Amino acid sequence: MKKKTYNMLTDPPGRSLLFFALPMILGNLFQQFYNIADSVIVGNFVGERALAAVGASYAITNVFIAIAIGGGIGSSVIISQCLGAGKKGKMKTAVFTTLINFLVVSICLGALGLFLNHRILGWVNTPREVFSDAALYLAVYFAGLPFLFMYNVEASIFNALGDSRTPLYLLIFSSLLNIFLDMLFVIRFQQGVRGVAVGTLIAQGVSAVISFGLLLRKLKGYETDEHWRVYDAGLMFSMVRIAVPSIIQQSIVQIGILLVQSVVNSFGASVLAGYSAGMRIESISIVPMLAMGNAMSTFTAQNVGAGQLERVNKGYRMCYAAVLSAGAFLCILYQLFGNVFVSAFLDAGNGSAAFQTGLDYVKFLSFFYAFIGLKASTDGLLRGAGDVKAFTVANLVNLSIRVIVTNVFAPVYGIQVAWMAVPMGWAANYVISFGWYLTGKWRRRWETVGVR
């Protein structure tokens, strides 16, 4: 049976967005399983302190994941627009320029992370009792940073080319491999936090290498007489102009988590463990929302490259229906079964303060997931059109609200302020981005990104 494909330039906008986003949602869920598997395994087989150690590293590692994803998505806007305009040679040049850029960036960031490992943990006030394990986990993570970067950038390139299935299949494989290796090193070889870090590194490395081989094979299928080069400085600057704000947009939540981490850490290891469990559940919950935003970015980029601007508005309206439905479902799910999800990380009978912290986090935030869906969809449209200034400002406002509210009020009113500030930032972000969308100025920005 021939596999059905969905064309973002010709199929109905709602259907093409949905079927493109679904593999991205599943793929991002499996991406989350990397760190979630680490947390579940150490939380159940090593203990609360080990979970707190991984949790202390989680906010830091997610900033680097967000840089990789944001950079890949930002660069892929140019790739999508080249493809939509039928310029396959320029598209190939953009792909290899992206890969070279992020290989260099990832090596530099990995080396910097290894050098500043202990200092970073000190800056966020990591509790003394979990500091050594957190430092060990983070060091192994930084050593494997080039693998993580290259896989995520390669996945963004596949998505830009309209193929969201290949990254999904690779993530399913590598996530299962990661779980197997985590259990092998932790349960069989008793390696604790070191074991889950090494298991994750190996799984990401295998995935990155396989993904690169598949990408090369896919690019060979785009036959063209147009001249193309391995690297183009002009395209690089066009990508940077979109990628940097995209990195800020993608990492804004993670940067916010990192900047409030020192406040959370000051409440002790038990509260940190509960907060870590809540963050893991949040990271799963926002996957459909972020995937719709990323799908909207690719949809917008391809259609503006083809000059079909009215299709962009139709696709944007379909995103609303999807994210509002997902938000309502998640709210009902966590209000009824929030304790079940938290218990996957923590035993309610042992460390009850940690369990209650995680449960409070999950139940409160479940009312507001639609906000990040609306924000992500609107930001995705602006990013895909190459209009990056407005949503950059919006995301900086988002970050500022979260950091300021937490740092000022959490020491006075308690840890719950750390998650109460989250929807405040999401809502402000959406209002600013949506206001800019209504001006219609994004329609004129796409002509300046260097495709035409």
Side-chain angles (χ1 to χ4, degrees):
M1 181 181 293
K2 186 177 180 180
K3 182 169 64 177
K4 173 66 177 174
T5 60
Y6 297 89
N7 192 315
M8 288 197 170
L9 299 175
T10 58
D11 281 339
R15 185 173 66 177
S16 58
L17 270 170
L18 179 63
F19 281 93
F20 183 73
L22 282 175
M24 293 175 68
I25 292 171
L26 293 174
N28 288 338
L29 285 173
F30 277 99
Q31 177 71 58
Q32 293 297 331
F33 287 168
Y34 277 114
N35 280 331
I36 289 172
D38 293 351
S39 298
V40 171
I41 291 170
V42 298
N44 284 278
F45 294 98
V46 184
E48 183 181 299
R49 285 192 177 184
L51 176 60
V54 175
S57 306
Y58 180 69
I60 300 168
T61 59
N62 265 15
V63 171
F64 290 92
I65 293 174
I67 292 172
I69 294 174
I73 292 171
S75 298
S76 69
V77 168
I78 301 296
I79 297 170
S80 291
Q81 291 188 349
C82 290
L83 184 62
K87 298 189 174 183
K88 297 178 182 178
K90 198 167 189 177
M91 178 268 291
K92 289 185 177 183
T93 300
V95 168
F96 284 101
T97 300
T98 297
L99 292 174
I100 292 171
N101 286 341
F102 283 99
L103 178 61
V104 174
V105 168
S106 65
I107 293 173
C108 293
L109 286 177
L112 182 64
L114 285 170
F115 178 71
L116 296 176
N117 185 2
H118 285 75
R119 292 185 184 181
I120 294 172
L121 290 170
W123 290 335
V124 297
N125 296 325
T126 302
R128 183 180 300 273
E129 60 267 36
V130 302
F131 192 97
S132 60
D133 279 343
L136 176 61
Y137 182 88
L138 204 55
V140 177
Y141 184 91
F142 282 130
L145 199 64
F147 292 127
L148 179 144
F149 257 71
M150 295 314 295
Y151 171 75
N152 282 283
V153 171
E154 287 158 3
S156 294
I157 293 172
F158 276 115
N159 290 329
L161 299 175
D163 180 3
S164 56
R165 290 188 176 95
T166 298
L168 169 62
Y169 300 149
L170 285 168
L171 271 172
I172 292 174
F173 163 75
S174 57
S175 296
L176 294 176
L177 176 62
N178 181 53
I179 293 171
F180 168 76
L181 292 173
D182 281 358
M183 297 183 71
L184 178 67
F185 288 131
V186 173
I187 300 174
R188 177 68 178 84
F189 297 121
Q190 300 291 309
Q191 290 295 300
V193 171
R194 183 199 303 271
V196 295
V198 172
T200 299
L201 186 152
I202 294 173
Q204 288 175 342
V206 171
S207 180
V209 172
I210 296 176
S211 179
F212 181 68
L214 293 175
L215 179 59
L216 290 179
R217 189 173 70 176
K218 186 173 185 68
L219 290 174
K220 288 182 180 178
Y222 291 97
E223 297 181 359
T224 179
D225 295 329
E226 182 183 350
H227 175 70
W228 64 277
R229 292 177 287 176
V230 173
Y231 194 85
D232 186 293
L235 276 177
M236 183 271 288
F237 286 115
S238 294
M239 291 176 177
V240 167
R241 194 176 67 226
I242 300 176
V244 170
S246 181
I247 289 170
I248 295 173
Q249 187 265 336
Q250 286 290 312
S251 62
I252 211 74
V253 173
Q254 308 308 332
I255 293 173
I257 291 172
L258 178 60
L259 293 177
V260 303
Q261 189 76 48
S262 60
V263 179
V264 175
N265 290 347
S266 68
F267 286 88
S270 291
V271 170
L272 174 57
Y275 184 79
S276 300
M279 283 197 302
R280 294 298 196 277
I281 296 169
E282 177 192 346
S283 69
I284 299 172
S285 304
I286 65 176
V287 160
M289 313 305 185
L290 298 181
M292 286 305 300
N294 294 339
M296 189 64 208
S297 180
T298 300
F299 179 85
T300 301
Q302 288 197 16
N303 279 280
V304 297
Q308 301 180 151
L309 300 183
E310 287 307 314
R311 278 179 58 83
V312 174
N313 288 320
K314 293 179 181 179
Y316 181 54
R317 289 193 290 270
M318 296 307 301
C319 283
Y320 269 61
V323 300
L324 290 173
S325 298
F329 171 77
L330 290 171
C331 181
I332 295 170
L333 179 68
Y334 291 136
Q335 291 302 314
L336 295 177
F337 305 107
N339 60 322
V340 176
F341 289 91
V342 177
S343 65
F345 299 90
L346 295 164
D347 186 347
N350 297 320
S352 58
F355 186 89
Q356 190 60 48
T357 299
L359 184 60
D360 290 344
Y361 187 133
V362 169
K363 286 198 169 185
F364 175 82
L365 210 57
S366 68
F367 289 107
F368 303 101
Y369 284 126
F371 279 140
I372 194 172
L374 297 175
K375 153 193 145 41
S377 298
T378 310
D379 287 349
L381 184 152
L382 297 177
R383 181 176 62 244
D387 194 342
V388 297
K389 292 182 180 179
F391 83 75
T392 302
V393 172
N395 279 277
L396 289 173
V397 171
N398 176 2
L399 172 62
S400 299
I401 290 174
R402 182 166 185 173
V403 172
I404 293 171
V405 170
T406 301
N407 279 273
V408 172
F409 295 106
V412 179
Y413 296 104
I415 187 63
Q416 63 270 18
V417 175
W419 52 81
M420 288 181 177
V422 175
M424 298 180 192
W426 289 346
N429 190 155
Y430 168 64
V431 169
I432 295 171
S433 293
F434 183 69
W436 188 255
Y437 162 77
L438 290 177
T439 68
K441 293 181 179 179
W442 59 272
R443 290 170 172 264
R444 297 191 292 272
R445 289 293 300 165
W446 69 282
E447 295 177 349
T448 68
V449 299
V451 174
R452 291 186 176 236

